[in-house]
Amino acid sequence: MPAGEPELHDDPVLTAYALGELDEAESRAVRQRILGDDAANAYVQSVRETADTMRTAFADEPTASDAEVAQLHIKRADRTLRREAPKSLWRFANRYSAAAAVLLVGGLIVYSMTGNPPYEPVGADRSPGPPVATLIESTGHLTTPHAYPAEGSDYAAGEYKLDSGTAEFMTTDGRNVRLNGKSSVEFGADGRIISSSGDVTVTNPERIHSALKLGVIDSPYTAEQFQRDTERPLTPTDHPSISNQLGVAGPSHSYASPAPAEPPHIEPVERHPGHNTETYQHLADNAFKHVGNAPLSTFSIDVDTASYANVRRMLRQGQRPPAGAVRIEEFVNYFAYRYPDPVGPHPIASHVDIAACPWAPTHRLVRIGVQAKRIAHADRPPSNIVLLLDVSGSMSAANKLPLLKESVKMMVRELDERDSIAIVVYAGASGLVLPSTPAGSKDVIYAALDRLKSGGSTAGAAGIQLAYNIATQCFVKGGVNRVILATDGDFNVGISSDDALVRLIEDKRKSGVFLSILGFGMGNYKDAKMEKLSNAGNGNYAYIDTKAEARKALVEGLAGTLVTVAKDVKIQVEFNPARVASYRLIGYENRILAKEDFNDDTKDAGEVGAGHSVTALYEVVPVGAAPVRSAQQIDAEIQAIRTLMAVTDATGQWYDAQLARIAALEAERAVIVRRPARPAVDPLRYQHEAPAPKPGSTELLTVKMRYKQPDSNTSVKLTMPVVDRGADWRAANDDYRFAASVAAFGMILRNSPHKGNATLDQVLAWATAAERERANRDVKADPYRAEFIELVRTAQGIGVR
Amino acid sequence: MPTATSRSDRSAWVRDAVNRFERPLLSYARWLLRDSDKAADAVADTFARLCEKPPAATHNGELPKWLFTVCRHRAIDMLRKDKRMNPLSESAAAKIENTDRHSDPSDAIETADTTAAAMRALATLPGNQQEVVRLKFQHDMSYKDIAAVTGLTVTNVGYLLHKAIKTLRHEFNDE
């Protein structure tokens, strides 16, 4: 491999994907990860070509010849004879020896080895001793004391001599031993170094320590992940405690190593009795992308806020949320920002602010805000609402059905004669509790709500059919037609297939009846599914755990919940390679679109309700920026992760996460070594290159946005080029700084590799400063921001740093 | 393949297995042992064991894996017995070399350029990488099967193949 060329896709998982070795779920995840990443796809292609070349070459290579096969048959016969009929041996031998002679004369070729000793394959059951050191890398001529390793690349005790080049071991006590040039090292039985000669460098566990302190390395599993993987309670012997293996002592803020006195049960995420079936889909953080490989970043907007409410609940209960429950874009979008209202014919408008990135001061933080037009309450279109309520047994808790009833009453108070409400329940049998009733008759509606009782199992689908039928019957042309599903996440009976349900929801959406989802309670709470279904229904999804939250979603945000002003809203950002070296979209991991999807009107995207705003943050590395970290620091981190992977026989999610981190670090490192004027990657074989930047263009990027009017199927495109005026952090407005602090909070909770220098202390400092300024300006208090600041303190209280 | 009960049944599926796998096994054993005669011994022993102590699972997925594993163990035994491989002798200290050339019959035969290049590139890989490359692309095994045959973990197999392909890719691109 040419020296000095950074291999951006040095990822065994990508190779495995290319060779078709991953299962369906893993393949899908990888496919999504490399969407739009031309270099990664080129790599996959070249792996497959290499595989084909090798297969062809092997096919060409002469296989066993007829002569060899004949020889085999002779030997087999010999063995059979010896085993079965000793008395006929003599005769048999006579008969076959003639044949053998003929064959020998006929040109049986015997290949025998001369010259170098052959490869000694590893026999797993007979090792030269227990492994004490793993050979990580060897570029030279290394002599080992045994004919073969103990297992794989694990070597046993003994003396290892290097003639030239380099070799690197990691001992079982976690020390990294590097040999350079003519040198040798002798390992003892426990991985101790008995003696050494020549250039031998030994690095201590401190390096691993410091990597752990930086939060770079997680232990392989969090307690929750392990529990999910194994479906049984954790005991100390089960837990692959890396800290013990490496001799890393003391607390680290990575949250997986249990103290020895830990009780055998790890508390499940929720303390609810009964079984815990919360599920979160965890996607690795978006990595930095090179503008040369990927000048376009495309994603669907998202106004959901459920993740923030859900995580807030967990933190208040003293539990650190699993990374998969933290969707940073939903955190940022939970809060209201003062973007100017759109003017002109379009129902949405975008605004961009750029300032220094607080957790990486040499980077720029780009905030893209999309504001939807507000609708005065009096001007709102008439609404035809069908409530589809889960009244199954699991909804009986105080924070579910009773809260749901209160929430609906709050919403109904905001509606009037123009609107109509129907109530359908599902619990065993689906039923119509209230036919479509004008919202002027509030007493009738409240009475129906009060009559609701919970009990039985859930039949979500049958109820959905009825709800949609009523909505269709009472359809209001030009108005809002919406089914609002309120549930704690269970769909036990009926259409249990997600796909069939999604299809139903999509069909109804096309006919103009949209779907929103309100999640209640905890436990039995299928976050990923709720989001998926509400996306399909052109609606949003909110998690309601308190009356305050109900008010936010159904009173203050009623217009937003009910009235969609723009649907299928997508954003595509093109970065200017003359100004931008690399960039990273913060959050929106499950909203990423392929670049072709931007102009494809058949591709579904998020909806924006009246008065909603959506915020997206990009961390941008400008061309020529001094790196946040030096190349050596990044190398050290990469090495620390690699050595940890080498001693850990974990697979799956943790392994993928480490590979993703290494890829992100290498991308970061490549930016440092690369000179901006020269492309660092091969020209693409299958696509023409990204067009050269407009000469002299001072634009940093261009934001393009597509949306559709709610009743249209053709999208409209808005384009906005943006220049970075070089504002520093202080110069940014308080909304911007507050949003940045929320994003940093999310990154810390996810233990993101990209959180830079961010700590919770800093998050507090940024948020409180911003909030103080806002409070000075607006007379009105913002309880949600104050609550956020409290939440950060709560997180600190349970040990998040 | 159902567990054979009668002797004729058993010999039928053994014969079937022999027909299907004798050549691939001979190839594999020959590569391990560098000696055609010894290879024949190893494979003959493998099939003998198939008759005497057949594996519990003999269907299509499991049989090749079993055969290759048994063959490999036999080959290892033979290598160990060989005096040249005596771990105690100085000259035998197995050198893990990055160039592990072995004289291969294909050297003597005119083959297409790419094949020759591929084989040359392959020969520059360390032995353990060569083995997984062969098992994967010559004998069409999955990572899991290769792990079972070699006794490595699936992760190790993935890593070795990844490294091997990395090197091979560059060899081909540099041609």
Side-chain angles (χ1 to χ4, degrees):
Chain A
M1 192 168 138
E5 180 194 28
E7 182 79 291
L8 295 174
H9 301 287
D10 193 7
D11 182 347
V13 172
L14 207 51
T15 305
Y17 166 78
L19 297 175
E21 279 291 330
L22 300 182
D23 68 32
E24 223 212 277
E26 290 167 322
S27 285
R28 221 179 310 130
V30 171
R31 217 173 311 137
Q32 197 167 1
R33 164 156 69 99
I34 66 174
L35 225 38
D37 185 346
D38 295 334
N41 282 301
Y43 172 82
V44 166
Q45 186 64 26
S46 90
V47 168
R48 290 181 180 152
E49 284 169 6
T50 307
D52 283 344
T53 309
M54 292 313 297
R55 284 192 192 104
T56 315
F58 283 126
D60 278 348
E61 187 186 59
T63 177
S65 66
D66 289 347
E68 289 174 285
V69 171
Q71 191 185 32
L72 170 66
H73 288 179
I74 292 173
K75 289 180 187 276
R76 282 197 64 224
D78 201 36
R79 282 154 177 78
T80 313
L81 193 67
R82 274 190 261 128
R83 193 176 59 243
E84 287 179 0
K87 62 177 170 10
S88 42
L89 175 67
W90 190 83
R91 243 180 315 178
F92 201 91
N94 270 351
R95 207 187 318 144
Y96 272 82
S97 60
V102 166
L103 284 163
L104 277 166
V105 165
L108 178 68
I109 309 163
V110 176
Y111 307 111
S112 60
M113 184 56 202
T114 55
N116 300 326
Y119 154 58
E120 178 72 53
V122 174
D125 54 351
R126 265 165 273 193
S127 72
V132 301
T134 307
L135 181 64
I136 299 165
E137 197 83 55
S138 157
T139 64
H141 189 246
L142 181 72
T143 307
T144 66
H146 308 287
Y148 39 85
E151 183 189 272
S153 11
D154 293 340
Y155 286 84
E159 191 183 16
Y160 293 82
K161 297 200 190 103
L162 187 68
D163 267 358
S164 59
T166 60
E168 199 164 322
F169 288 95
M170 205 183 66
T171 61
T172 47
D173 63 357
R175 274 170 312 149
N176 187 282
V177 180
R178 201 159 218 276
L179 285 84
N180 200 9
K182 198 160 166 60
S183 50
S184 76
V185 66
E186 191 184 356
F187 291 115
D190 47 359
R192 282 179 309 120
I193 294 172
I194 296 175
S195 68
S196 71
S197 72
D199 184 1
V200 177
T201 331
V202 181
T203 345
N204 287 329
E206 258 70 56
R207 198 157 105 190
I208 315 283
H209 269 295
S210 51
L212 278 169
K213 279 200 209 101
L214 288 172
V216 166
I217 302 177
D218 271 347
S219 293
Y221 295 109
T222 61
E224 292 89 353
Q225 282 172 321
F226 188 88
Q227 183 144 9
R228 263 206 300 287
D229 286 348
T230 57
E231 294 294 321
R232 61 193 161 85
L234 210 53
T235 61
T237 49
D238 287 343
H239 187 92
S241 171
I242 283 301
S243 30
N244 291 340
Q245 237 181 300
L246 297 182
V248 171
S252 69
H253 64 86
S254 87
Y255 39 92
S257 39
E262 202 77 271
H265 265 268
I266 299 291
E267 291 284 354
V269 174
E270 53 110 53
R271 297 205 175 100
H272 210 62
H275 78 131
N276 171 23
T277 55
E278 300 208 27
T279 60
Y280 300 104
Q281 179 196 30
H282 178 51
L283 291 170
D285 285 48
N286 288 333
F288 274 95
K289 293 210 180 289
H290 277 237
V291 73
N293 298 342
L296 295 171
S297 171
T298 316
F299 63 98
S300 157
I301 59 97
D302 172 11
V303 299
D304 296 342
T305 56
S307 171
Y308 178 77
N310 196 24
V311 166
R312 177 180 62 195
R313 184 235 335 154
M314 284 187 239
L315 287 172
R316 282 176 176 165
Q317 287 173 344
Q319 281 126 19
R320 181 163 183 162
V326 178
R327 290 191 288 269
I328 298 182
E329 71 276 9
E330 295 190 16
F331 276 41
V332 173
N333 283 327
Y334 185 84
F335 303 94
Y337 306 102
R338 287 152 307 156
Y339 299 121
D341 283 343
V343 293
H346 304 290
I348 54 175
S350 63
H351 307 272
V352 181
D353 298 279
I354 308 181
C357 182
W359 56 80
T362 55
H363 297 174
R364 310 295 289 159
L365 187 65
V366 175
R367 179 182 71 150
I368 300 174
V370 176
Q371 178 66 50
K373 72 179 182 196
R374 295 171 212 279
I375 290 185
H377 194 63
D379 298 336
R380 122 195 106 65
S383 306
N384 158 32
I385 297 173
V386 179
L387 296 166
L388 176 59
L389 309 182
D390 178 353
V391 294
S392 62
S394 64
M395 286 289 284
S396 58
N399 60 342
K400 297 192 194 181
L401 190 57
L403 178 58
L404 169 55
K405 291 186 193 181
E406 280 305 307
S407 310
V408 173
K409 285 184 185 168
M410 273 194 257
M411 181 183 81
V412 169
R413 262 200 292 277
E414 302 295 313
L415 301 172
D416 55 41
E417 273 303 318
R418 287 173 288 172
D419 314 302
S420 60
I421 307 256
I423 302 180
V424 171
V425 299
Y426 64 103
S430 58
L432 177 64
V433 168
L434 179 75
S436 195
T437 306
S441 318
K442 293 198 180 5
D443 295 339
V444 175
I445 299 175
Y446 291 166
L449 280 169
D450 287 333
R451 274 201 303 273
L452 295 176
K453 271 202 277 286
S454 59
S457 70
T458 307
I464 263 193
Q465 281 290 359
L466 179 58
Y468 273 124
N469 289 347
I470 293 174
T472 310
Q473 261 173 29
C474 309
F475 196 87
V476 174
K477 220 164 131 54
V480 171
N481 297 281
R482 195 173 281 273
V483 171
I484 300 181
L485 167 62
T487 176
D488 60 359
D490 240 350
F491 289 82
N492 277 339
V493 178
I495 305 179
S496 56
S497 138
D498 274 11
D499 285 341
L501 195 49
V502 167
R503 269 198 303 276
L504 169 66
I505 294 172
E506 283 174 343
D507 286 342
K508 293 300 175 184
R509 171 194 90 208
K510 285 176 189 149
S511 73
V513 181
F514 295 170
L515 174 80
S516 288
I517 301 189
L518 307 176
F520 282 83
M522 55 193 188
N524 279 344
Y525 174 64
K526 302 268 174 25
D527 183 80
K529 184 163 168 169
M530 297 289 101
E531 215 196 358
K532 180 169 159 178
L533 296 179
S534 64
N535 277 348
N538 269 10
N540 63 333
Y541 152 60
Y543 178 68
I544 301 195
D545 57 347
T546 58
K547 269 208 201 153
E549 200 54 38
R551 201 171 299 119
K552 185 175 191 286
L554 297 173
V555 174
E556 297 163 11
L558 182 61
T561 301
L562 290 183
V563 184
T564 299
V565 299
K567 67 179 188 190
D568 289 341
V569 181
K570 306 167 188 161
I571 291 184
Q572 184 169 75
V573 181
E574 183 184 346
F575 293 90
N576 178 359
R579 299 254 144 190
V580 175
S582 63
Y583 63 87
R584 182 178 106 76
L585 174 60
I586 301 178
Y588 292 94
E589 278 83 12
N590 60 348
R591 302 299 181 141
I592 302 290
L593 297 173
K595 58 182 189 288
E596 299 72 30
D597 292 344
F598 182 67
N599 294 325
D600 184 351
D601 279 355
T602 65
K603 288 282 189 275
D604 192 24
E607 279 62 51
V608 187
H612 275 164
S613 66
V614 183
T615 303
L617 294 166
Y618 278 94
E619 184 176 344
V620 169
V621 180
V623 161
V628 178
R629 290 177 288 190
S630 70
Q632 284 85 339
Q633 283 176 295
I634 295 177
D635 280 342
E637 256 182 66
I638 294 177
Q639 193 50 61
I641 298 175
R642 284 224 169 101
T643 53
L644 187 62
M645 287 168 79
V647 279
T648 311
D649 191 18
T651 53
Q653 218 171 322
W654 178 80
Y655 187 81
D656 289 352
Q658 302 318 307
L659 290 174
R661 274 193 204 156
I662 290 181
L665 286 167
E666 286 176 336
E668 193 184 335
R669 194 190 188 292
V671 172
I672 297 170
V673 300
R674 166 190 163 185
R675 281 188 290 257
R678 264 207 337 236
V681 286
D682 294 341
L684 298 175
R685 279 170 70 165
Y686 305 109
Q687 299 173 44
H688 54 83
E689 320 231 12
K694 286 184 357 195
S697 167
T698 53
E699 294 160 14
L700 189 76
L701 52 87
T702 296
V703 177
K704 296 178 284 180
M705 187 159 64
R706 277 197 181 273
Y707 76 92
K708 294 174 193 156
Q709 296 282 0
D711 49 12
S712 159
N713 284 325
T714 315
S715 69
V716 174
K717 181 164 98 168
L718 305 171
T719 305
M720 180 179 174
V722 176
V723 172
D724 181 356
R725 308 222 176 274
D728 66 14
W729 172 249
R730 290 273 135 252
N733 69 42
D734 58 89
D735 266 359
Y736 174 101
R737 283 180 278 121
F738 188 82
S741 70
V742 174
F745 181 57
M747 288 198 288
I748 291 172
L749 283 179
R750 281 177 71 97
N751 208 18
S752 168
H754 306 292
K755 67 186 177 191
N757 305 330
T759 61
L760 283 194
D761 282 338
Q762 286 182 298
V763 168
L764 263 181
W766 299 329
T768 36
E771 177 53 8
R772 204 178 310 125
E773 284 172 48
R774 191 210 58 78
N776 286 341
R777 193 203 328 276
D778 292 349
V779 174
K780 206 170 84 157
D782 185 333
Y784 302 112
R785 296 194 184 201
E787 183 187 63
F788 171 76
I789 290 170
E790 266 318 299
L791 195 63
V792 176
R793 294 208 180 96
T794 305
Q796 286 183 314
I798 64 172
V800 182
R801 298 279 156 262
Chain B
M1 237 179 279
T3 332
T5 43
S6 77
R7 198 149 160 236
S8 56
D9 277 352
R10 179 142 34 110
S11 30
W13 71 258
V14 167
R15 239 180 295 128
D16 190 57
V18 167
N19 285 339
R20 278 171 49 210
F21 296 110
E22 61 188 353
R23 283 179 205 261
L25 283 172
L26 279 171
S27 276
Y28 181 53
R30 196 221 300 138
W31 180 77
L32 283 173
L33 294 162
R34 306 295 191 271
D35 181 299
S36 175
D37 188 63
K38 293 205 175 81
D41 276 326
V43 176
D45 290 339
T46 304
F47 283 128
R49 196 184 163 96
L50 183 67
C51 295
E52 284 155 22
K53 290 189 203 149
T58 52
H59 55 78
N60 288 342
E62 292 305 304
L63 190 56
K65 199 162 56 172
W66 186 90
L67 288 170
F68 275 81
T69 311
V70 169
C71 185
R72 193 175 190 274
H73 282 152
R74 193 70 201 94
I76 290 170
D77 286 347
M78 290 168 75
L79 282 172
R80 286 205 194 115
K81 286 202 193 110
D82 185 354
K83 287 211 187 92
R84 284 186 298 148
M85 279 296 111
N86 185 344
L88 299 173
S89 84
E90 271 293 302
S91 58
K95 297 175 183 160
I96 309 291
E97 293 186 334
N98 282 332
T99 49
D100 185 11
R101 298 222 46 113
H102 68 281
S103 67
D104 187 282
S106 65
D107 282 352
I109 299 165
E110 290 294 332
T111 53
D113 273 355
T114 17
T115 299
M119 288 298 136
R120 274 199 300 274
L122 182 66
T124 66
L125 296 176
N128 55 358
Q129 288 183 30
Q130 283 197 48
E131 184 176 20
V132 299
V133 167
R134 279 182 181 269
L135 288 173
K136 180 93 188 95
F137 300 121
Q138 184 177 19
H139 301 293
D140 214 32
M141 289 193 177
S142 67
Y143 282 18
K144 277 207 185 92
D145 284 354
I146 298 175
V149 169
T150 58
L152 299 167
T153 62
V154 173
T155 312
N156 251 331
V157 170
Y159 186 62
L160 285 170
L161 261 174
H162 172 72
K163 286 196 78 171
I165 289 189
K166 199 158 95 162
T167 312
L168 292 170
R169 263 179 84 220
H170 280 276
E171 292 297 323
F172 296 156
N173 288 343
D174 288 346
E175 292 282 329

